[in-house]
Amino acid sequence: MDSFKEQALKEYSSDTKTVRRCKDGKPFWNTYSTQFMYAPEFFFPKIPGTKECIFVVTDSMGREHTFTEDSSVAPLTPIWNDISPGIAELKVYAVHGANGEKYLAGARSFCKMDPFPGRESLPERACSYKDCAAKAFDYVFNDDTTQYWLTHGLPKPDYYHNVYPSKMISSLVKAMLSYGELVPEKHEEALKIATNAADYLLSITYGEDSALAGLPPTYSFKGLDKEIVDKNAPAADRRKHLLMSIYPASAGSAYLLLEKATGDKKYLNAATKIAEYYKNNVLESGSWYLLINEKDGKPESPNHCAEFSILEFLNSYYKRTGDECWHILERNYFSHLGKTYFENYNWEGQFEDSTLSTNYNNLTHLNADKMIRYITENFSDDAEMIEFAEELMRFVEDQFVVWGDFAPWNQFLNPAEKWYSPAVLEQYYWYVPIDGSTAMVALAFLNMYEVTKDELYLEKALALGDSITRMQNPESGVIPTHWMTTDCSTVLKNFWMNCHIGSAYAMKELAKATGEI
């Protein structure tokens, strides 16, 4: 047996390497979870007079696996390795102390996911990480949606994701600045694309008479084909009067990079206005309201921001200005994130095209990945924080990584189409394999390897990276967003350029880690 596969199997059923045990008053985060890779535990009520509880799991092969505990809440570690992957049914019986009768304390179904098979058991990568990254960045530069910025200084009208300007333009600016460094002969054109896109974002920024003065909008139909946008991005029209407070930070980070590249202070000024908004509107919790009405600047819901892009922007702005107030704001926000995630484990998905969720209803890995990176970069000598990051990495793999087969009851699964793995699912509301998600988790595994030197993390990072190379179209260099149609690398459906850019960055980092760059 491959040593990494064997190590992974031991960890999946370990008493110590678990995903957030719900003991000591910690909440049950997995109420809405449907699939698991590490041995889970579930909440079932205690029946008075219980002597012991019998746990019975019937796996996908029809085999029964049994163990007993003194509580109706216990992890399935004693039998986890014996349960076959696939849909399983769990029943917990409470044995009454007085007469030995059994009462059903609870039951639930779940899918046990395929374990990490070892990289040697997976298909080889299609090309080097360096070549994959180069082709991916070339695609971004040469794509007509990007070139439109160069020739027109405007968003391409029929690319419907341009309706999310803060998100998409921020990603493009950063990509073009990196591309200009990677391909010096294209530096001027790449920089022109970046400045044209940023200047357009400045042109649609809320004016001084607005309650959101200085902030770039989350949604904008300006210059776009509204019929195409409404058909493909209906959420934008429903929310066009709103601002999501997480996205100005992304724009602010892009402005700071652009100011460094050009020396033009207008980009610093734009970043300053965004920073000032965060400073002037911070809540006592250290966070901000997530959805804001553009008409009066008041919140539309009680949800608070739980997105790391704000933390990263505040950190960058503090480094740029040296003003301690931004460092304080950053620390306070990190404290809020700690209370939200460290204590509650509510990894809420916050997306511009998804509805808001109640606690644990729509978990995602995105902020978990960013938390891992922040911890490994800022707390590498703190054993307790690194231990938390390791548990967090298990959560990400457990809930979102697919090494083999997808859960057969996935509501989006089409038996007539091929879904590709290894891959990473995005969020409970959109539980499908996404290239950008696969890239982010690959980097999270790499972050954990760099700080722990546990080579299993590196093997998992490279396995996901290998998958991205296989999914890339070898001719065009495009990495499809959704890996859920047989022809996804040749017929792009619902393609997100920012996800492709994220994959390009991840390939570049894997190339560095393996000595290719």
Side-chain angles (χ1 to χ4, degrees):
M1 180 183 292
D2 180 86
S3 60
F4 292 115
K5 178 181 178 181
E6 185 176 5
Q7 180 184 346
L9 286 173
K10 289 180 179 179
E11 291 185 1
Y12 292 140
S13 60
S14 167
D15 287 325
T16 57
K17 293 184 180 295
T18 60
V19 181
R20 181 46 67 101
R21 291 290 305 278
C22 302
K23 58 185 179 181
D24 302 325
K26 294 176 181 176
F28 282 82
W29 60 270
N30 60 14
T31 305
Y32 299 96
S33 305
T34 58
Q35 59 188 53
F36 302 91
M37 201 174 299
Y38 289 82
E41 67 174 350
F42 307 110
F43 174 76
F44 296 116
K46 179 180 180 181
I47 294 178
T50 297
K51 179 181 179 181
E52 64 179 9
C53 288
I54 302 174
F55 288 70
V56 181
V57 173
T58 303
D59 69 17
S60 61
M61 304 295 290
R63 300 176 302 177
E64 282 194 356
H65 310 273
T66 303
F67 69 98
T68 60
E69 286 286 349
D70 58 4
S71 169
S72 58
V73 176
L76 304 185
T77 48
I79 58 174
W80 190 246
N81 265 351
D82 299 325
I83 299 173
S84 298
I87 303 299
E89 294 183 354
L90 165 66
K91 293 183 179 179
V92 180
Y93 298 96
V95 180
H96 199 270
N99 50 22
E101 292 186 2
K102 294 193 300 183
Y103 300 93
L104 183 64
R108 85 175 266 177
S109 299
F110 61 86
C111 184
K112 182 182 180 184
M113 301 301 287
D114 288 315
F116 178 62
R119 189 172 168 227
E120 295 300 319
S121 300
L122 296 169
E124 292 185 358
R125 61 182 184 173
C127 64
S128 70
Y129 307 126
K130 178 182 178 181
D131 288 345
C132 180
K135 288 187 292 185
F137 276 114
D138 279 338
Y139 177 86
V140 178
F141 178 80
N142 292 314
D143 186 69
D144 57 359
T145 62
T146 302
Q147 287 297 308
Y148 201 88
W149 286 108
L150 180 62
T151 56
H152 293 74
L154 298 168
K156 196 169 187 291
D158 62 351
Y159 181 54
Y160 46 88
H161 288 144
N162 279 329
V163 76
Y164 310 120
S166 291
K167 179 175 186 173
M168 302 306 292
I169 290 176
S170 300
S171 177
L172 181 65
V173 167
K174 296 172 185 177
M176 287 299 95
L177 292 177
S178 290
Y179 186 75
E181 294 176 354
L182 289 170
V183 187
E185 61 269 26
K186 297 292 184 179
H187 172 78
E188 288 191 20
E189 288 180 84
L191 186 59
K192 185 62 175 175
I193 292 170
T195 55
N196 281 357
D199 289 348
Y200 171 80
L201 191 57
L202 289 175
S203 76
I204 62 172
T205 290
Y206 293 105
E208 294 303 321
D209 58 342
S210 169
L212 304 177
L215 299 186
T218 304
Y219 311 93
S220 175
F221 286 85
K222 184 178 179 182
L224 303 183
D225 187 321
K226 195 171 187 303
E227 183 177 346
I228 293 178
V229 173
D230 286 344
K231 179 181 178 181
N232 295 281
D237 192 57
R238 295 194 302 267
R239 291 184 171 186
K240 61 187 176 185
H241 65 292
L242 299 175
L243 176 128
M244 289 194 79
S245 300
I246 59 178
Y247 288 115
S250 298
S253 296
Y255 288 146
L256 289 176
L257 291 173
L258 204 50
E259 186 245 348
K260 183 179 181 181
T262 65
D264 194 331
K265 291 296 183 287
K266 72 178 177 183
Y267 300 119
L268 177 61
N269 293 337
T272 298
K273 290 178 180 178
I274 293 171
E276 291 287 349
Y277 175 84
Y278 285 121
K279 183 175 72 172
N280 295 334
N281 292 275
V282 67
L283 302 172
E284 186 176 347
S285 67
S287 184
W288 297 264
Y289 285 116
L290 178 61
L291 285 181
I292 305 296
N293 192 306
E294 66 177 9
K295 294 180 180 179
D296 55 18
K298 295 183 178 179
E300 285 276 310
S301 77
N303 297 61
H304 289 187
C305 293
E307 165 59 48
F308 265 75
S309 60
I310 301 176
L311 191 75
E312 292 162 345
F313 169 60
L314 294 174
N315 179 268
S316 296
Y317 194 74
Y318 165 63
K319 291 177 179 177
R320 174 62 181 82
T321 64
D323 191 331
E324 188 65 23
C325 74
W326 309 113
H327 194 39
I328 294 172
L329 207 59
E330 175 193 354
R331 288 202 304 264
N332 289 343
Y333 184 49
F334 183 73
S335 176
H336 163 75
L337 295 174
K339 292 175 183 176
T340 302
Y341 293 146
F342 288 25
E343 297 175 18
N344 297 334
Y345 230 61
N346 181 33
W347 298 93
E348 178 187 359
Q350 297 181 340
F351 298 86
E352 74 290 332
D353 59 348
S354 298
T355 57
L356 300 182
S357 64
T358 55
N359 288 345
Y360 309 109
N361 192 37
N362 183 34
L363 299 184
T364 182
H365 63 89
L366 298 182
N367 279 325
D369 304 330
K370 296 173 185 176
M371 174 74 87
I372 289 169
R373 182 177 67 205
Y374 192 85
I375 289 174
T376 56
E377 289 180 351
N378 295 279
F379 300 96
S380 60
D381 295 329
D382 188 324
E384 184 176 354
M385 291 294 285
I386 296 302
E387 184 178 350
F388 174 76
E390 291 201 84
E391 179 185 60
L392 190 49
M393 191 73 254
R394 292 193 290 271
F395 161 76
V396 169
E397 183 184 10
D398 182 68
Q399 290 297 293
F400 300 100
V401 177
V402 178
W403 294 117
D405 292 334
F406 293 85
W409 59 21
N410 189 309
Q411 62 176 317
F412 303 107
L413 191 63
N414 181 356
E417 294 282 8
K418 177 175 176 56
W419 281 31
Y420 294 88
S421 68
V424 178
L425 312 174
E426 185 183 67
Q427 54 175 314
Y428 286 0
Y429 284 177
W430 192 236
Y431 222 26
V432 301
I434 300 290
D435 74 309
S437 288
T438 306
M440 286 190 67
V441 174
L443 290 182
F445 277 128
L446 183 60
N447 292 150
M448 291 307 307
Y449 166 70
E450 289 171 343
V451 77
T452 66
K453 302 307 177 186
D454 183 341
E455 291 192 3
L456 179 57
Y457 288 131
L458 180 60
E459 283 294 296
K460 291 177 178 179
L462 298 181
L464 293 179
D466 293 349
S467 195
I468 292 174
T469 70
R470 294 192 297 272
M471 292 305 300
Q472 184 180 42
N473 186 306
E475 295 180 2
S476 69
V478 69
I479 302 170
T481 303
H482 297 87
W483 296 1
M484 47 198 286
T485 56
T486 307
D487 58 358
C488 60
S489 69
T490 55
V491 180
L492 297 182
K493 299 176 182 178
N494 195 15
F495 176 68
W496 290 77
M497 183 65 82
N498 63 306
C499 289
H500 172 96
I501 290 170
S503 295
Y505 277 119
M507 292 298 97
K508 181 180 175 183
E509 291 304 311
L510 289 179
K512 288 181 180 178
T514 55
E516 293 178 0
I517 296 179

